[in-house]
Each structure stands twice: as structure tokens, then as C-alpha cells.
Amino acid sequence: MGEHYYQEEIECAPRERIIGIQNEKLKRQVKNVWDNVPYYRKKMEEKGVSPDDIQTIDDLKKLPFLSKADLREAYPYGLVARPLKECVRIQSTSGTTGKRVVAFYTRHDIDLWEDCCARAICAAGGTDEDVCQVSYGYGLFTGGPGLNGGSHKVGCLTIPTSSGNTERQIMFIRDLSATILCCTPSYAAYLGESMKEMGLSPDDIPLRAGIFGAEAWSEEMRHDIEKTLGIKAFDIYGLTELSGPGVAFECSEQKGMHINEDHFIAEIIDPDTQEVLPEGSEGELVFTAIDKEAFPMMRYRTRDICMLTREKCSCGRTHVRMCKPKGRSDDMLIIRGVNVFPSQIETVLLNNGYQANYQILVGRVNNTDTLDVMVEMTPEMFSDDVGEIEKRQSKLVADLKSMLGIKANVRLVEPKSITRSEGKAVRVIDNRKI
């Protein structure tokens, strides 16, 4: 079977056509925010920019940025560009700090968002013959509603299980022969682990594809999940601020995620100087939503660190690809002056045969940062004697030191002793009072 598209004409459009769409939509959107979002208009005025200054996407860099801080300050209605009677829904982040982000949608916004999710499902091989189990949380979290709508548009039989209740999840996968699973990677790994414990091999599991996002995961974790469930695992990217999942998605090539450029313009900036960097540079990802009516984010700083590439993709899609975010410019840990990303620690664990069930504890003793990593052993390892466990710990300490450049204390713990999360996994506990 060849590559499968949801909206082939636009997904494979020539670059000139995509740039033409972007130029036209950007001009319209800048006028929209200038006329309807006093908060952003004031930011533009402070920068000395008016809508006439923005004629093409090359002028994007003249516009001011929006950040999480702006969303908090403008909460709840300060960035809404439509009368509330035209808005039909809100979604909200699963944010762990301060005020939650509340995003608004018109009917049209939801329609376009579901199109983006439908593209992701088709890119994973989904058609109207598939049974798609959506095990992301529903409700305020965007994962469930986004992929639910996308699945309907593709015509899949949709099972809206939401997250949790693992027994029921497995029952539906088996009884209804689910072929596509959508959830967080950590929950997919947990489902795989549970099915393995039930004695199910990949051949007994009807799934053939998975669409996993909402948290960072490594290539090693992808291979683990693929092996346990007998599927091909696809990455999906999005933010509530921009609509939700489906801003970008992986195709069969799995070499980066195609950004839906007819809806979102991506830039890479230096997080410190805020300068736009040339293509191929690593930096912070910034997005402009060019056709959202209710909540038009302009140059929104995602804090995700990544790279963009326009290299031709064999899947036929012409939209720019972003690599998997390498971490975030804000949840990067700085430990004893060294930048540490949880994904680096995960890579070492998976390379050593552990599953992605771990917790990073950061503390401070006598003004010096401490880094402790708690790692669950697999059942096979657990039966080993104390000497063997100590040997395993020393090996992880050495491998982590060579990956991170600093020493971490490793504690191997019993299988299943670290609490499982059905939403985003809580990987880092920072106890430093900085």
C-alpha cells in the first residue's frame, strides 16, 4: 500500500503554493488581531509595527512574540479575537504551574483542527476500514477531543475510551480488534507491559499503528513499544495554545514531523537573543497560527528546542519537518551548571534494557545540586542477588556520567513501584528551593 493522505492536494502542494497561502492568511490574521485583540495591538504599537508592515512571511520577524507569561496576564479573555457567542468550546492545558492556559475555538477552528488530526491518522496508514482507540484524556485536555474528531473525519470506527482503566482498554483492543491506538507514549508502554504480563504476544494484539504524543519520548522507547505491541509507532506534536495535537505529525518515513504549514508558520529563534536562525539551526520553535479565528496566537514561543528541515521527503508531502523536540528551553534542568534533558537519561536507561519507568529527583545539599535517578527493574532483573543489582547500578552511573558529563546517583527499585501516570508522566521532581 502506498502513502495515504487526507488532503493530498494541500499536503503535497508545491512550495510556491504553500508560501502563497501563508502570505495571504498571514496578512488577514495580522489585521484580525490588530482589529480584535487590543492586548496584541498594544504590543505591536510598542514595537512600532502596523498591519501595513506585514505583507509576506518575510515580514513575520517584525511582529512581537507571545509567551506563556502573556497568556497568564491576558487570562481569560484578553487574547480572544471573536465575540464569545461565536466561540463554541474551550480547551485547557494540563499545566502544572499557576493559571491554566484557556484556549477558545469557533466551529471553524474545531473543523480545521480535526482536519490536522485526520492528516496525522492517514499518515499513520489509517483509513475508514480502521478501528481507532483514543486513549488520551478527554475533557479539557486536547488529546482526546482532537484525535476523536480526526478519527471521525477519516471514517474510522472510533472507541473513545479516554485514559485509565487499563483492563477495559485491553478488553476493547481485543474484542473490537482496534488497529490504531492513540495515547501518551508512557501509557502505550504501560499497556504493552500489561498485555505482556497477560501472556499476549504481538501476534495476539490486533493493533498495527500507534499515534503517541503529549510528552517527550526517545527513539529507544519507540522501538520498545513497537516490539511489545507489534505496531509502527508515530509521533504527533501540538499545543493547546495552537489548537492541540496535529500541529505536526510523522509520516511513514519517521524522520521528523511534517508541520501543517497551511495553518501554522514555524520559525526557529535563539531563545536568548530572540533572533530568527537560519534553516537547519537548532533553537526554540515559534509558531504563528494563521487561520485560527477565536484564539490567534502570533509568534508564540513554544519553549521546545528543535530543528526544521525542508529536505525532500519520500512520502511526497512538501510541508517542512521538525525534528522531535530535544527538550525544552524551560524544563531543561541545569544541574551544577550542566544542561540536562530527561530524554538523555531515558536513552541511557533504554539502551541498558530498562523500561521507560523512572523518576529524576533533583535536590540541593550544602549549596551543591544533587541528581538521583530512580529506575524500575524489569521482572527478569528483579530476581537477581544484591551483588548483581549493585553491579547494574554502577553500570548505569558510569553510562549516565558519560552521557551527561556529571555524576548521578542511581537507585534500582522493584518493578511497578513508581506510580504510573495515565496523562503525562511526572518524570522530574525538583526539590531545590532556587
Side-chain angles (χ1 to χ4, degrees), residues 215-219 235 237 257 268 280-285 302-308 322-333 339-347 403-404:
E215 60 189 17
W217 52 310
S218 58
E219 277 309 308
D235 208 347
Y237 175 87
M257 292 174 271
I268 295 284
S281 313
E282 188 172 291
E284 182 183 337
L285 187 56
T302 65
R303 297 286 177 196
D304 282 322
I305 299 289
C306 78
M307 262 163 67
L308 300 179
M322 59 181 272
C323 72
K324 203 183 249 311
K326 298 262 168 60
R328 293 169 64 85
S329 60
D330 60 356
D331 80 9
M332 173 178 80
L333 295 160
N339 294 350
V340 172
F341 289 112
S343 54
Q344 294 172 303
I345 293 174
E346 185 175 297
T347 297
M403 168 69 94
L404 308 172

Side-chain angles (χ1 to χ4, degrees), residues 15 61 84 88 99 116 141 158-159 183-184 199 219-220 241 310 313 357 368 388 408 413 430:
R15 286 300 317 154
K61 56 180 178 293
L84 288 183
V88 296
K99 285 246 166 75
C116 289
F141 178 59
T158 310
I159 314 177
C183 60
T184 60
E219 277 309 308
E220 290 80 6
E241 297 88 320
R310 291 210 179 275
C313 186
N357 301 314
T368 303
E388 184 62 31
V413 297
D430 196 337

Side-chain angles (χ1 to χ4, degrees), residues 26-43:
L26 177 63
K27 277 203 307 208
R28 224 176 26 224
Q29 191 67 300
V30 171
K31 179 127 179 48
N32 176 29
V33 291
W34 177 268
D35 292 343
N36 299 309
V37 185
Y39 185 94
Y40 195 74
R41 179 178 180 151
K42 185 166 168 274
K43 277 180 104 75

Side-chain angles (χ1 to χ4, degrees), residues 182-227:
C182 306
C183 60
T184 60
S186 53
Y187 196 53
Y190 184 56
L191 282 172
E193 227 175 283
S194 308
M195 288 198 243
K196 199 168 162 181
E197 276 166 20
M198 291 166 66
L200 297 174
S201 79
D203 294 341
D204 306 319
I205 302 169
L207 295 170
R208 56 177 185 74
I211 298 174
F212 307 133
E215 60 189 17
W217 52 310
S218 58
E219 277 309 308
E220 290 80 6
M221 186 169 177
R222 183 206 302 263
H223 296 313
D224 269 11
I225 294 171
E226 288 186 331
K227 207 164 72 203

